[in-house]
Amino acid sequence: MIATCWSRSTNCLPRCFSPPLKPHFRKRFRQGRREIPQSRRAVLFQPHLIKGVLKPGRYGGMPQDSKFQLSRAFAVRQRSGGFTLIEVMIGVAILSILAAIAIPYYNGYIAEGRIATAIKDIRQIELILNDRFLDNDPPATLAAVGINMRDPWGNPYQYLWLRNNPAPGINGSRRRDKSANPVNSDYDLYSMGPDGVTTAQFTGKNARDDIVRANDGDFIGVAADH
């Protein structure tokens, strides 16, 4: 049977002519193939595949397909479960790009939310002040009507009584548009915005981010949008 299945001219070693197993391989074989990792079975049960067991010229040399199986088995065995430096660098680069895109959007979302909160607060204060003006009893300050609210940036809301105010010097403190015209006839009500400072005219550098009431309540929003 050996003579029929083996030929020196084929330059390969068939399974039926495999050398006998060594003692430690024979012991492993008795324990069962399922207890041995798949990546090592080709080496454990076919020791003639190991490079060096078959010397050049013996049995026609090692078959090409056996060499492929052996290299594949050792490649699986030597592969580690950690990350390479290139993989870590690629991961850091991806996270940096995502952060560069997400952080500006997040900051813009927070800023818009604070502006919306300031507009809502000014609307609520306006309702209280309008009732007092309808009763011909305008308050001199917000504290006079029990209002001690602060804007989303932690600064108190600003109020200036204009209509029939007997106090001198009121005209110089009135809020004005880009043409320097007063924006309200009854009272000014505004937040100084994120920077916490302001100027009377909306086009001023420190006033463009203010949240203002203008046109006697017809406009409430950012001063730069007026």
Side-chain angles (χ1 to χ4, degrees), residues 30-188:
R30 293 195 189 100
Q31 293 176 356
R33 295 173 62 91
R34 288 179 297 181
E35 298 181 4
I36 302 174
Q38 182 69 26
S39 60
R40 299 180 61 189
R41 287 180 182 175
V43 177
L44 292 178
F45 292 102
Q46 300 182 32
H48 64 281
L49 298 181
I50 302 177
K51 187 175 181 180
V53 174
L54 293 180
K55 298 180 180 180
R58 184 181 181 185
Y59 304 130
M62 183 181 292
Q64 295 297 325
D65 58 342
S66 300
K67 292 181 180 180
F68 175 76
Q69 294 176 5
L70 181 62
S71 62
R72 184 176 181 182
F74 278 105
V76 173
R77 182 180 179 182
Q78 295 177 358
R79 181 177 179 85
S80 61
F83 295 99
T84 64
L85 179 60
I86 295 178
E87 291 173 340
V88 173
M89 293 177 64
I90 292 174
V92 172
I94 292 174
L95 292 178
S96 301
I97 294 173
L98 293 177
I101 296 174
I103 289 176
Y105 279 100
Y106 176 77
N107 292 337
Y109 175 79
I110 296 297
E112 291 178 0
R114 290 177 176 175
I115 292 174
T117 300
I119 293 174
K120 180 180 177 181
D121 291 345
I122 292 175
R123 287 292 186 191
Q124 292 177 348
I125 298 172
E126 182 185 41
L127 294 176
I128 299 173
L129 295 177
N130 288 344
D131 289 341
R132 294 291 297 269
F133 272 82
L134 289 176
D135 295 338
N136 199 22
D137 184 21
T141 61
L142 292 179
V145 290
I147 299 176
N148 296 308
M149 299 174 61
R150 290 183 174 269
D151 62 19
W153 301 277
N155 302 312
Y157 287 99
Q158 303 298 311
Y159 163 75
L160 179 62
W161 171 26
L162 299 175
R163 183 181 297 166
N164 300 327
N165 190 342
I170 296 299
N171 191 53
S173 301
R174 302 178 68 170
R175 302 305 303 264
R176 300 177 181 274
D177 59 15
K178 61 182 180 181
S179 300
N181 297 318
V183 295
N184 293 300
S185 62
D186 48 2
Y187 59 88
D188 287 339

